[in-house]
Amino acid sequence: QDAYSKRFIPVSSISRVASVGDQKFEVITNNRNFVFRAESDADRNEWIRTLQQIAEERKSKALERTLTSPTTNGAADPADKSGFLELRGFKHKLFVAVAGDKVFLYKNAEDYRLGIGITYIEMNVGNVKEVDRRGFDLTTPYRIFSFSADSDQEKEEWVEAMQQSIAEALSNSEVAERIWAVESNRFCADCGSPKPDWASINLCVVICKRCAGEHRGLGPTITKVRSLKMDRKVWTEELIELFHQIGNAVANQFWAANVPPSEAITPASSSQERRRFLIAKYREGKYRRYHPLFGNQEELDRALCAAVTTSDLAETQALLFCGAAVTCATGDPQCPTPLALAEKSGQRLQMEFLLHNKNSVGAAGPPRLSWRVILGWPERAGLPSTILCRAEFSRRWCTLQDGVLSYYENDRNAVPNGEIKVEEIVCLLHPTTRGRPGSPFPPSRRIESTFEVYIESERLYLFGLESPDSAREWLKSIAKSFVHPRAEELLALDFERIGRLHYKGGLNLERAKEGWFALAGSVLHVCFEDSERQEPLQLRKLQELCAGFWGGQLAPPPEARLAGRTLYIQGERKLDFLGWVHAIQKAAGSAGDTLSEQQLTESDVPLLVDRCIDYITQCGLTSEGIYRKSGQNSKTTSLLEMLRRDARSVRLKEGEHQVDDVANTLKRFFRDLGDGLFTRRWGQDWLRATALEDEEAKISEYRRLLGTLPTVNRATLKALINHLFRVQRFSGENQMNTHNLAIVFGPTLFQTDGKDYKAGRVVEDLISHYVKIFNVNDQEMKKQQDEIMAIMKMREAASSGTQQAGDFICTVYLEEKKTEAEQHVKIPATMTAEELTFEILDRRKIVMKEKDYWSCFEVNEREEA
């Protein structure tokens, strides 16, 4: 049986299923009808019943489907890339869409829009290989899909998109494998089923699918259920580490300390038995190990404040679920809550545990406030309406109709307590899982499923709901009501913040224009006033970001400098605008330990790497033992921390920073890099390539492997090898030839202990064959040669004592940016723009005439001030 279908129909598009005769039935969609024949009338009736039931369930849930790529199997990812490709075996081109961890095939663009496709390919079993100039193969265990693009560039884009899809698909099971690395986490914490792929992130237990269903029935204030394989965003490094430290073993020492054998459940237990057991275990705390301070609230709170400053997570767990208040007063004005104490003490895992339990009721006794929420569709509204409450919240029934968001005392009241007109809304905020950038509410007062509404009169409304899906549904509906039609494509984004702001940009800075902005991850999407399409701005590639406030007014406006342009963003209301500033600043920073999460240059090289390479190129190419000698550990640690926090604000200066400290910082960054420079997926392939005896075959394999790397990894590797290629050119002075550099960088880049000689061989090959492997053309080589010669001259001048402190090499272009118009100039710290202009004119033998005017401009091409 073929693993891939000939056709698929999204259940969401089915409007009706009907019998049409002997053994036949018809599936009627919004745009097309399909007739099927079953093996018997009984089978036909069963198909009709099943399809009608599923279609009705989908309609009743009113789930939003993806706006850009209709998919099946619950996929709702927007298409990462879509378009026409030739596929061997088909006469006509197919419309192909890469969405998340799947690739979808459609007959044409119209079918793509309707969601009626041929088949889809799960990319967790896929592999992409380039075949020729325009062709590439997508190989699975069941079939090889041979595609052909219109051009070489198109092929490269498709290959990269599919490789990213494979990486995303593989990451699905990566979290589960890491969680299962702990023996006790390989079995359900409640029934003992093997390989459980669900978890309660606040209880820190790993559970099976059947128990997860019963956990949900307990409510999110007792247990927050997430998937190990599907909910990728929630699984931060801290949370995974928390499951290593607590996990099923430690959690059950508390929750299941006194389970009678007669009440325990097994993998074969029924849903009713599981429900009864889980209520007793987690809601009632029937089997828990009581803390000695149980019942003494004051002592419990005091003990919690002490425990969170240590690494004893088991003690914190026992205190919290025996009655200690997660937001209790600490008596310290500087650290008013246990969370603040944990942060001050540097206890990351304690902070993570407290954050996931900030709203937990657990088994601490009867809750002080009911969290049970009834969902419904009132006649006057089109959405399920609820407002979640805490002590500082008020529970209200809400409706959205005719451009007015109204809230009532309850669902029986006809007169609303208040209203918000959508035209008054200026900003919506949907906080992310890890935090609420720019929110004025302190962490102790927030609940997980919330969104915030900012209006023109400087008022803020905070709404909370029972589930993230409900919050997202409300948010999308409100956003659709107030966002201008020309900015509607912003609604398809998984945005954290969306709203309208004024901006200035381009050549016309006299009048501020109104634009629509949406922040999604590290990308700021903007719909400019005079543009038909939204423009994504990658904030991690910002050259500079500054904001100013004066006298309670916003002056000057925040300024975001990207390559080739400067964008000024203005706010009229301080409340929502301050949130935008903080959110943009956070999104523009580094977010993790992988290359793609770093601040980047325009050429996709981490700014941290670029800063270090530039400094060593200017100041350390002739330093003896560069990269072999170690710098001071304390200075390396401090510098790496500063660069990781915000490389954009760090300027490395000769005299203030030592060459060996900077070199050591660069090496440590690569050694500690999450997933490594060569990636875990492809690292071994690079090492195996060294066994090839034919030099040309080896170079060809290196080039192939280079193409498999993610864009940022590929750009970073080229920048680093280019740098090492320069360093070895000065080996006569620095004693670091290609072999010596390979000995140092091989174990560093492959993150090994240095015993595997193949790591060094890879680096040595990459440096030796740099030009061929990285396709370096003559123009690039000439530019590098000129820069090297300029640096050598500068160093010669320095050794003779004629160099001014602060001299640096600068590339200057005369009138136009062309190779024949460039000059490499040594610029002393005392040189003025006028002197530089005359220097260039003299070199080019240009005579100044009486009415000639020459100007000198600094262009921030390489993200240097």
Side-chain angles (χ1 to χ4, degrees):
Q1 185 178 357
D2 195 345
Y4 297 105
S5 65
K6 304 296 183 186
R7 204 75 162 158
F8 66 77
I9 307 168
V11 176
S12 58
S13 68
I14 297 176
S15 59
R16 191 162 58 89
V17 184
S19 173
V20 291
D22 293 343
Q23 302 175 14
K24 294 181 181 178
F25 64 94
E26 186 176 31
V27 176
I28 302 168
T29 70
N30 299 330
N31 302 84
R32 199 171 301 174
N33 297 354
F34 299 86
V35 177
F36 297 88
R37 181 192 294 274
E39 293 185 357
S40 66
D41 287 345
D43 283 346
R44 176 201 61 193
N45 295 338
E46 180 64 18
W47 274 107
I48 293 174
R49 187 190 65 79
T50 303
L51 287 172
Q52 285 176 337
Q53 180 181 346
I54 294 174
E56 286 302 319
E57 287 177 356
R58 290 296 180 98
K59 289 178 183 178
S60 67
K61 291 178 181 177
L63 293 175
E64 289 184 358
R65 307 325 261 166
T66 180
L67 298 179
T68 56
S69 175
T71 58
T72 187
N73 280 4
D77 295 324
D80 301 308
K81 181 169 179 60
S82 61
F84 287 97
L85 286 174
E86 294 178 12
L87 177 60
R88 187 182 301 164
F90 287 83
K91 293 182 180 179
H92 304 287
K93 288 184 178 181
L94 298 185
F95 195 91
V96 183
V98 181
D101 57 1
K102 296 181 182 69
V103 172
F104 295 85
L105 306 183
Y106 302 86
K107 279 192 173 182
N108 49 53
E110 178 65 15
D111 280 4
Y112 165 71
R113 187 183 66 80
L114 298 174
I116 300 174
I118 299 171
T119 191
Y120 64 92
I121 305 158
E122 300 275 3
M123 295 299 277
N124 61 326
V125 295
N127 185 38
V128 185
K129 180 181 179 180
E130 296 185 38
V131 177
D132 52 40
R133 191 171 63 85
R134 297 192 300 114
F136 62 96
D137 286 348
L138 172 55
T139 306
T140 74
Y142 320 105
R143 182 177 170 185
I144 297 176
F145 297 86
S146 297
F147 293 104
S148 182
D150 289 337
S151 66
D152 183 51
Q153 182 180 352
E154 268 287 299
K155 180 202 69 175
E156 294 290 340
E157 292 176 1
W158 277 106
V159 169
E160 183 176 348
M162 290 190 183
Q163 286 169 345
Q164 293 288 353
S165 180
I166 291 171
E168 184 172 345
L170 293 175
S171 70
N172 289 354
S173 57
E174 181 184 352
V175 170
E177 294 294 341
R178 292 178 65 183
I179 297 291
W180 292 339
V182 178
E183 177 68 25
S184 63
N185 292 342
R186 296 175 192 170
F187 301 90
C188 175
D190 298 322
C191 73
S193 293
K195 288 200 171 182
D197 52 6
W198 291 81
S200 170
I201 59 173
N202 64 311
L203 301 177
C204 295
V205 292
V206 190
I207 52 181
C208 68
K209 184 177 182 179
R210 293 189 66 189
C211 286
E214 302 305 328
H215 267 257
R216 286 200 184 91
L218 299 177
T221 59
I222 293 178
T223 174
K224 300 175 184 176
V225 182
R226 298 291 185 272
S227 170
L228 299 184
K229 295 183 177 180
M230 293 182 288
D231 297 319
R232 294 187 296 276
K233 292 183 179 179
V234 76
W235 291 103
T236 61
E237 285 300 318
E238 288 83 0
L239 185 55
I240 293 173
E241 192 174 343
L242 198 59
F243 270 73
H244 286 177
Q245 296 293 324
I246 298 180
N248 291 356
V250 174
N252 273 341
Q253 286 174 9
F254 173 77
W255 289 108
N258 305 292
V259 179
S262 61
E263 296 184 28
I265 59 174
T266 68
S269 295
S270 66
S271 297
Q272 188 175 0
E273 290 169 333
R274 291 173 194 270
R275 189 178 308 119
R276 184 166 53 244
F277 175 79
L278 296 179
I279 289 173
K281 183 178 180 180
Y282 297 114
R283 179 176 287 172
E284 299 170 0
K286 182 178 179 180
Y287 315 121
R288 64 184 163 175
R289 174 177 55 82
Y290 284 86
H291 194 279
L293 299 176
F294 180 79
N296 188 330
Q297 188 66 50
E298 185 175 343
E299 290 298 324
L300 281 169
D301 292 348
R302 186 178 295 117
L304 178 65
C305 293
V308 297
T309 63
T310 72
S311 58
D312 193 347
L313 292 162
E315 175 70 2
T316 300
Q317 178 194 44
L319 288 164
L320 199 60
F321 291 109
C322 278
V326 71
T327 57
C328 66
T330 64
D332 183 354
Q334 301 298 320
C335 302
T337 64
L339 181 64
L341 286 174
E343 183 176 11
K344 181 181 179 182
S345 303
Q347 297 294 334
R348 294 182 303 111
L349 298 188
Q350 292 280 11
M351 292 174 62
E352 190 76 3
F353 187 68
L354 292 173
L355 283 169
H356 285 296
N357 282 287
K358 58 189 176 184
N359 300 318
S360 294
V361 175
R368 289 168 287 183
L369 195 60
S370 171
W371 290 72
R372 186 173 180 83
V373 177
I374 301 173
L375 295 176
W377 285 263
E379 292 181 1
R380 57 178 174 269
L383 282 171
S385 50
T386 65
I387 292 289
L388 194 64
C389 56
R390 287 189 63 181
E392 64 269 28
F393 281 73
S394 297
R395 186 174 177 176
R396 295 289 182 266
W397 185 266
C398 294
T399 66
L400 177 62
Q401 185 180 23
D402 298 330
V404 179
L405 176 62
S406 307
Y407 47 95
Y408 299 77
E409 190 70 30
N410 53 55
D411 61 336
R412 296 180 301 275
N413 283 31
V415 180
N417 288 21
E419 295 179 339
I420 303 172
K421 295 180 180 179
V422 293
E423 64 263 23
E424 296 176 349
I425 298 175
V426 295
C427 178
L428 294 177
L429 169 64
H430 185 235
T432 58
T433 305
R434 291 292 319 274
R436 317 274 170 101
S439 172
F441 289 87
S444 62
R445 292 175 63 87
R446 300 182 200 148
I447 53 181
E448 182 179 358
S449 304
T450 65
F451 64 88
E452 298 169 13
V453 179
Y454 295 79
I455 64 174
E456 290 177 341
S457 59
E458 292 276 351
R459 292 191 65 183
L460 165 61
Y461 294 84
L462 178 65
F463 296 89
L465 291 99
E466 188 178 47
S467 71
D469 289 342
S470 299
R472 172 59 66 179
E473 188 178 359
W474 268 100
L475 193 73
K476 289 278 188 179
S477 298
I478 297 172
K480 191 173 182 179
S481 300
F482 94 97
V483 170
H484 194 278
R486 64 180 169 82
E488 276 190 348
E489 60 180 316
L490 297 179
L491 301 176
L493 302 170
D494 185 21
F495 57 81
E496 301 161 23
R497 181 182 289 270
I498 189 169
R500 65 177 191 262
L501 293 165
H502 287 86
Y503 70 92
K504 294 180 180 179
L507 299 175
N508 183 10
L509 299 178
E510 296 178 2
R511 182 181 69 87
K513 301 177 181 178
E514 185 179 82
W516 290 88
F517 294 72
L519 182 63
S522 62
V523 181
L524 182 64
H525 300 262
V526 187
C527 282
F528 294 108
E529 187 177 277
D530 48 2
S531 176
E532 295 181 359
R533 297 297 302 267
Q534 63 97 353
E535 183 176 343
L537 308 178
Q538 175 52 261
L539 296 176
R540 292 205 182 112
K541 290 188 178 182
L542 282 181
Q543 293 182 356
E544 189 175 351
L545 176 66
C546 55
F549 298 91
W550 177 79
Q553 300 295 320
L554 295 164
E559 180 180 329
R561 292 183 183 172
L562 297 103
R565 64 187 302 183
T566 300
L567 180 66
Y568 297 89
I569 305 172
Q570 287 183 320
E572 298 177 357
R573 296 154 299 275
K574 187 172 182 180
L575 183 63
D576 70 285
F577 188 68
L578 185 60
W580 275 107
V581 173
H582 290 168
I584 291 172
Q585 287 173 334
K586 182 175 180 179
S590 298
D593 62 355
T594 63
L595 282 174
S596 61
E597 294 174 306
Q598 308 302 309
Q599 294 172 327
L600 301 172
T601 67
E602 188 59 29
S603 55
D604 288 313
V605 177
L607 199 51
L608 183 155
V609 174
D610 190 66
R611 288 274 192 264
C612 292
I613 286 177
D614 272 1
Y615 179 81
I616 293 169
T617 300
Q618 292 287 340
C619 308
L621 287 181
T622 59
S623 177
E624 185 175 345
I626 182 67
Y627 290 118
R628 187 180 68 240
K629 293 164 63 177
S630 297
Q632 293 186 29
N633 188 56
S634 60
K635 290 185 177 180
T636 297
T637 301
S638 175
L639 181 57
L640 182 58
E641 185 179 332
M642 285 193 299
L643 286 166
R644 274 183 170 158
R645 186 166 54 245
D646 185 11
R648 198 178 292 115
S649 64
V650 177
R651 294 289 181 267
L652 300 175
K653 298 180 181 178
E654 193 170 11
E656 292 183 19
H657 301 94
Q658 301 303 312
V659 169
D660 291 331
D661 294 335
V662 177
N664 210 35
T665 298
L666 184 64
K667 288 191 297 180
R668 188 179 296 183
F669 170 75
F670 282 115
R671 178 168 285 279
D672 297 344
L673 196 61
D675 198 36
L677 178 59
F678 294 96
T679 74
R680 295 189 187 95
R681 173 173 171 77
W682 298 106
Q684 291 302 313
D685 289 38
W686 284 89
L687 296 176
R688 280 192 288 269
T690 60
L692 294 173
E693 295 182 1
D694 182 78
E695 205 68 19
E696 288 302 318
K698 188 193 297 185
I699 291 173
S700 178
E701 177 65 4
Y702 283 141
R703 292 181 66 177
R704 185 190 72 81
L705 290 170
L706 186 66
T708 65
L709 293 178
T711 302
V712 176
N713 296 58
R714 189 162 60 245
T716 305
L717 180 60
K718 181 178 181 180
L720 178 63
I721 299 301
N722 169 262
H723 170 63
L724 298 181
F725 180 77
R726 295 186 185 194
V727 172
Q728 59 87 29
R729 295 290 300 272
F730 290 84
S731 59
E733 298 173 72
N734 60 37
Q735 307 302 310
M736 294 300 289
N737 57 27
T738 301
H739 182 69
N740 291 340
L741 288 171
I743 291 174
V744 173
F745 273 94
T748 297
L749 299 184
F750 283 94
Q751 301 175 335
T752 64
D753 55 8
K755 295 179 181 178
D756 191 345
Y757 73 93
K758 293 191 289 293
R761 281 290 305 277
V762 172
V763 176
E764 189 168 354
D765 287 342
L766 291 176
I767 299 174
S768 300
H769 303 292
Y770 163 69
V771 175
K772 287 187 176 180
I773 293 173
F774 293 93
N775 287 325
V776 181
N777 58 38
D778 293 340
Q779 185 176 340
E780 285 184 83
M781 284 303 298
K782 182 181 183 304
K783 185 175 182 180
Q784 291 178 24
Q785 293 285 354
D786 290 346
E787 290 176 356
I788 290 172
M789 292 300 297
I791 292 169
M792 291 177 65
K793 289 181 181 179
M794 182 183 74
R795 286 298 166 188
E796 288 174 6
S799 61
S800 65
T802 60
Q803 183 191 28
Q804 294 279 348
D807 290 7
F808 67 97
I809 303 298
C810 183
T811 301
V812 180
Y813 295 92
L814 183 65
E815 293 190 302
E816 55 185 343
K817 187 180 178 181
K818 290 185 178 179
T819 304
E820 58 269 20
E822 70 178 20
Q823 295 285 325
H824 298 284
V825 185
K826 180 182 68 177
I827 300 182
T830 56
M831 178 177 276
T832 64
E834 182 182 21
E835 291 170 341
L836 175 59
T837 302
F838 282 122
E839 170 79 13
I840 297 298
L841 294 176
D842 287 343
R843 286 192 182 193
R844 300 303 297 269
K845 296 182 172 54
I846 296 176
V847 179
M848 283 278 291
K849 297 179 181 178
E850 183 179 351
K851 293 185 179 181
D852 281 354
Y853 293 93
W854 290 88
S855 298
C856 179
F857 297 94
E858 178 185 16
V859 181
N860 292 332
E861 274 196 309
R862 303 196 61 191
E863 302 191 342
E864 292 286 353

